[in-house]
Amino acid sequence: MKTEDLISILAADATPDAPLRPGQIAAASVLAVVVVVGLFLSLIGVRPALAQALLRPEVAAKAILPLLTCVLVAPVALRQLRPGAAGLPAARLLVPLSLAVGLWLWAFMAVPAPLRFAEWMPSAVVECLGLILLLSLVPLWLVLRMMGRGASTAPARAGALAGLAVGCGVAAGYSLFCTKDNPIFYVTFYGAAIGLVTGLGAIAGRRVLRW
Amino acid sequence: MMDREAEWSALLRAAMEGDGRAYARFLGLVTPVLRGIVRARGRDLGAAGQEDVVQEVLIALHTKRHTWDQTAPLLPWLYAVARHKVVDAFRRRGGSVHLPIDDFVDVLEAEAEPDALAARDSAALIGQLDARSAAIVRAVSLEGQSTAEVGARLSMSEGAVRVALHRAIQRMARLAKGAE
């Protein structure tokens, strides 16, 4: 096929093509996370006396930190829909990351030594990691499917950012169920779970977002 | 010379509203520029390989044209798509390539030279389509028939021909990224 012939084929396929709408993808992604986490919480229930618990700063931080990270990362993830987008500026993660590290260190000093790692039982770790990962799978898959209509020139990075945003959103919702209020526990294992979802996003993105 | 940004973006905007003539003109203007980039960077590929890469970039521009934000300038979008696909095409052919973005700016701003490659025939993509899709693609391209004429000949509705053509292009896009 000569290139000029290819051009006439492409021109014959010049049907109106709806422009990409990142705002719609953002709204649908938020909805996917909210529905999945909402379903989980309505089936299994939020923690007892959630409202009072949220008045305690370390409990509120468990929801606010991942939510903040999600809000900071999501716009960068969405920008990956178009070719030539820049990556995540490291400074953007500096605030939530230093808050998380600070919280961990503060708890390490505030909590008496025998209690520091008291919650680190295999069952608790599996529950926390497993549920955050499990709840992230469907929203992440949906988000990547929607992002496939875009044209990311760095598919693995776009997938990782999507995973980071979804993982953080899910972790924030999951914290309303979780009763492990020691930051040493939740910073470590929420962080690990979010890291796993990010890695999964990168691996899936490399495949799904190629074009 | 009319401002390239203004001219090309007007053409693509019209194309995205369904104006095939504007679209053919847009692609016709972009092609020699792409060819210049590919030729300069992919000497090892030989003329045939270079033209295959040009065609892959054109198909990518086509299947991803909706990702151009029409409120933003066109040329940066065009550089990004072309650069990504050229690097990708060279990488899949076993070579690595270093493509500084400035190259694209320079080449896109230079006047295109007349080129000898245009008449070259490439079977790389169309050769991998199934017989019916290939027949439709050939009729529309080589014989210059309209989708209505092709439909009449193959006893298909014009709509069905358009759908088949659209699918054949999507298939070529998947072939071009090495997914099949």
Side-chain angles (χ1 to χ4, degrees):
Chain A
M1 179 171 48
K2 293 189 181 68
T3 299
E4 62 191 80
D5 300 327
L6 176 67
I7 290 175
S8 39
I9 297 169
L10 299 180
D13 190 38
T15 41
D17 194 11
L20 188 73
R21 301 222 182 280
Q24 282 178 2
I25 294 179
S29 304
V30 171
L31 193 69
V33 171
V34 168
V35 165
V36 169
V37 175
L39 207 62
F40 166 77
L41 290 176
S42 65
L43 286 175
I44 207 159
V46 294
R47 62 182 290 167
L50 173 67
Q52 285 109 300
L54 279 174
L55 295 175
R56 283 155 52 206
E58 77 275 19
V59 178
K62 188 161 56 157
I64 290 170
L65 263 181
L67 199 61
L68 173 70
T69 315
C70 179
V71 168
L72 288 173
V73 170
V76 188
L78 275 181
R79 248 176 272 144
Q80 308 296 316
L81 285 165
R82 297 194 199 277
L88 182 69
R92 214 163 236 251
L93 279 187
L94 218 58
V95 173
L97 204 64
S98 43
L99 283 174
V101 171
L103 194 62
W104 197 98
L105 292 173
W106 168 80
F108 191 82
M109 287 182 286
V111 176
L115 293 179
R116 279 175 192 154
F117 298 100
E119 288 161 320
W120 289 44
M121 287 165 303
S123 60
V125 173
V126 168
E127 179 183 86
C128 168
L129 282 180
L131 282 174
I132 293 178
L133 198 58
L134 207 65
L135 291 171
S136 298
L137 289 181
V138 170
L140 178 61
W141 181 75
L142 288 172
V143 170
L144 289 176
R145 282 298 299 263
M146 290 187 285
M147 286 178 78
R149 194 163 178 258
S152 171
T153 42
R157 181 175 72 200
L161 287 167
L164 182 56
V166 167
C168 287
V170 167
Y174 172 80
S175 76
L176 305 180
F177 157 78
C178 167
T179 51
K180 306 282 182 289
D181 295 335
N182 182 347
I184 299 177
F185 180 89
Y186 72 70
V187 168
T188 306
F189 293 110
Y190 280 34
I194 291 166
L196 284 174
V197 181
T198 306
L200 202 63
I203 294 167
R206 191 187 282 272
R207 293 183 60 89
V208 180
L209 302 181
R210 266 195 65 207
W211 51 283
Chain B
M1 178 181 128
M2 189 182 166
D3 180 332
R4 183 168 275 176
E5 168 65 44
E7 183 186 13
W8 289 16
S9 59
L11 287 172
L12 186 55
R13 204 169 277 127
M16 287 173 70
E17 276 155 25
D19 181 345
R21 208 181 278 256
Y23 196 31
R25 177 151 169 70
F26 168 76
L27 294 171
L29 289 170
V30 170
T31 300
V33 174
L34 285 176
R35 205 174 268 137
I37 295 167
V38 173
R39 191 162 34 196
R41 289 283 150 181
R43 287 183 207 288
D44 301 345
L45 294 177
Q50 288 172 0
E51 198 62 8
D52 290 344
V53 175
V54 169
Q55 295 192 3
E56 288 177 22
V57 179
L58 286 174
I59 291 173
L61 284 173
H62 177 70
T63 53
K64 293 297 183 186
R65 63 195 191 279
H66 60 267
T67 65
W68 170 42
D69 176 0
Q70 293 192 30
T71 61
L74 171 69
L75 292 183
W77 174 85
L78 197 64
Y79 308 148
V81 173
R83 181 169 187 274
H84 178 70
K85 285 309 290 183
V86 169
V87 171
D88 186 53
F90 287 172
R91 191 183 294 137
R92 267 186 295 105
R93 284 163 175 78
S96 68
V97 63
H98 174 65
L99 275 179
I101 195 85
D102 294 349
D103 267 32
F104 282 80
V105 181
D106 291 346
V107 176
L108 280 174
E109 277 163 7
E111 285 299 306
E113 323 156 20
D115 55 275
L117 273 178
R120 246 212 72 258
D121 211 345
S122 159
L125 291 169
I126 200 173
Q128 295 178 71
L129 295 176
D130 62 278
R132 194 171 181 81
S133 305
I136 291 171
V137 165
R138 282 211 179 82
V140 172
S141 62
L142 307 185
E143 293 140 40
Q145 295 179 351
S146 69
T147 44
E149 288 165 332
V150 176
R153 211 187 65 195
L154 299 175
S155 26
M156 295 167 74
S157 70
E158 188 188 353
V161 173
R162 285 183 175 277
V163 170
L165 187 68
H166 183 73
R167 291 204 179 129
I169 293 169
Q170 301 294 325
R171 173 99 206 284
M172 288 196 284
R174 286 197 300 277
L175 288 167
K177 73 172 181 179
E180 284 187 23

